Amino acid sequence: MSGRGAPVAAVICCVALWACANDTAEPPPAPGEPVAGLGTGERGRFLVGRALFERLATADEGLGPLYNAERCSECHDQPAVGGGGAQRFRVLKATRFTDGRCDLLRAEGGDNIQRRATDLLVAHGMGPEIVPRTATDTALMTAPPLFGLGLLEAVSDAVLAERADPDDLDGDGISGRLPRLPDGRTARFGRKGDASTLEDFVDTALRFELGFTTALQPAEEARNGVPVPAAADPMPDPEIDVPTMSQLTDYIRFLAPPAPEAALPDAVRDTVSRGAALFRQIGCAMCHREELRTGSSNAPALANRTIRPWSDLLLHDLGPGLADVCGVDASPSELRTAPLWGLRYRTRYLHDGRAADIASAVSAHGGEAEAAREAFLSLPDGARRAVVRFLNSL
């Protein structure tokens, strides 16, 4: 993961040769592969970024001294590198929510609890972080799939705002809204709407999950607010330079979205079609918006495309049953609508992985989703199975 040294240069050279030798027509992308239509240079950057994403980092390169994982793919490997995280790896979050305001506990080390420490940090008398006593809530978050994020980034704020109705002016019980960061930018990435761009998203992961400093944030993270000894992290800052950050970001930007299940038998196709119609009919598509349209992009393969993520990327209040930590502009019960594309590759559901199957995940929805949940539960058994089969085809 380091932004310096011969290993990264070797990766770049090998991948560049591969890209030049394989400039041929691309097959339909499988999970973990790049979006179709990239140029040779873009494919090369994707491959360099993927190699960095999979590369095991060491403390000598700047890993830690506080961290949660030793490589990006440790959290994102299901069903392929770049996908979601298995139940075995969940990120511990802690926040304080009082008087309607969210405190991300930055003075006490931040909301991401780093549960591992390098040997050098331990030798200097410090161990992993603990949940601050001032926290009011904690959550164990599963790592989200990264497939198709570049296309979601290419959707304009105006397209998302079409569905936003923060005051429920139409009275339908759905009041999604675009969260905003303190600087006023909208935030469409993260479970709670935590990042505005993919670069922000990658930067946050590098700092909090692997403990790397970056050009955007060159200061080392403190342990529960206490600075770590300089000798416990001898790598010069920033540990991830701008070119490395750009390559990692482009890798994620160019990951193809998962395609729906294909080549279904006629009977199964009919069930899936029926389930999709019921999904819309009972109101699930009010938040899990079927289609979005991308706008302009520096990458032509991402521009002006109709995509089917089954999400409006807005924050919705899902009730006390799913409430835990808060976000920059999100209450404990507000969550961004999770894209459903690629749902068939997941083995656990909801933001914290609590649901073992799709029906249980739907049943846990409340708040703005309560009417849709009750409509789902009121369906005859065969109709509910059709909805689940449709979702398992995505």
Side-chain angles (χ1 to χ4, degrees):
M1 291 294 302
S2 171
R4 299 177 173 84
V8 173
V11 166
I12 293 172
C13 291
C14 291
V15 170
L17 291 172
W18 187 98
C20 292
N22 288 272
D23 189 14
T24 58
E26 297 176 84
E33 293 304 309
V35 67
L38 295 180
T40 300
E42 291 169 328
R43 288 201 303 274
R45 291 183 65 78
F46 171 88
L47 291 163
V48 170
R50 183 166 67 186
L52 292 168
F53 193 87
E54 295 184 78
R55 186 165 180 260
L56 184 69
T58 68
D60 291 340
E61 298 171 316
L63 175 76
L66 294 161
Y67 65 104
N68 286 321
E70 295 174 300
R71 53 182 148 204
C72 302
S73 58
E74 189 173 338
C75 309
H76 299 278
D77 61 355
Q78 301 293 320
V81 172
Q87 188 73 356
R88 62 178 171 78
F89 192 98
R90 292 188 292 171
V91 173
L92 178 61
K93 296 270 193 177
T95 60
R96 178 176 177 80
F97 190 73
T98 55
D99 299 324
R101 298 176 64 87
C102 184
D103 179 1
L104 298 182
L105 305 177
R106 290 193 173 99
E108 297 166 87
D111 63 319
N112 191 309
I113 308 302
Q114 295 165 306
R115 294 189 283 173
R116 298 171 71 179
T118 60
D119 292 342
L120 191 54
L121 183 62
V122 173
H124 281 79
M126 282 189 172
E129 287 190 306
I130 60 173
V131 174
R133 292 182 180 179
T134 55
T136 57
D137 300 286
T138 61
L140 284 168
M141 300 276 197
T142 59
L146 307 180
F147 302 144
L149 291 194
L151 289 163
L152 296 182
E153 185 181 45
V155 177
S156 71
D157 282 354
V159 168
L160 301 182
E162 290 173 3
R163 289 290 184 94
D165 185 15
D167 299 314
D168 192 20
L169 296 179
D170 60 9
D172 65 357
I174 307 297
S175 53
R177 63 187 183 87
L178 265 171
R180 292 190 178 274
L181 301 178
D183 61 12
R185 292 181 299 156
T186 59
R188 66 187 63 191
F189 299 112
R191 305 289 195 182
K192 293 278 184 175
D194 309 307
S196 180
T197 66
L198 282 181
E199 184 179 54
D200 292 341
F201 183 80
V202 173
D203 180 82
T204 298
L206 288 170
R207 289 189 294 117
F208 293 132
E209 306 306 340
L210 283 85
F212 282 112
T213 56
T214 68
L216 294 176
Q217 299 287 342
E220 196 68 56
E221 294 296 317
R223 183 199 179 277
N224 286 126
V226 179
V228 299
D233 185 54
M235 181 72 175
D237 298 314
E239 294 152 345
I240 296 292
D241 58 23
V242 172
T244 303
M245 171 71 79
S246 177
Q247 288 153 357
L248 281 166
T249 302
D250 276 350
Y251 161 65
I252 294 172
R253 179 172 288 124
F254 295 144
L255 274 168
E261 194 174 2
L264 296 172
D266 290 344
V268 175
R269 187 181 302 109
D270 290 344
T271 300
V272 168
S273 296
R274 180 181 176 223
L278 287 166
F279 185 83
R280 301 181 188 98
Q281 178 183 320
I282 62 179
C284 296
M286 297 283 286
C287 300
H288 289 283
R289 183 176 177 178
E290 181 173 357
E291 290 186 350
L292 293 173
R293 181 77 179 170
T294 69
S296 60
S297 172
N298 292 331
L302 305 178
N304 303 311
R305 289 184 52 180
T306 297
I307 58 175
R308 303 184 76 190
W310 296 94
S311 173
D312 59 10
L313 302 182
L314 302 178
L315 280 179
H316 292 276
D317 191 323
L318 296 184
L322 289 178
D324 43 45
V325 294
C326 53
V328 175
D329 189 26
S331 72
S333 57
E334 286 184 304
L335 288 158
R336 187 204 60 157
T337 306
L340 299 181
W341 54 12
L343 196 65
R344 73 182 187 275
Y345 296 118
R346 303 179 206 175
T347 57
R348 303 291 301 189
Y349 306 90
L350 299 176
H351 66 290
D352 54 7
R354 72 176 69 178
D357 55 65
I358 289 174
S360 298
V362 175
S363 299
H365 283 57
E368 295 176 45
E370 183 176 356
R373 177 198 69 199
E374 292 305 308
F376 171 77
L377 295 175
S378 298
L379 291 172
D381 289 348
R384 283 202 306 274
R385 286 195 295 269
V387 173
V388 171
R389 184 62 186 89
F390 155 66
L391 292 170
N392 268 321
S393 75
L394 296 178

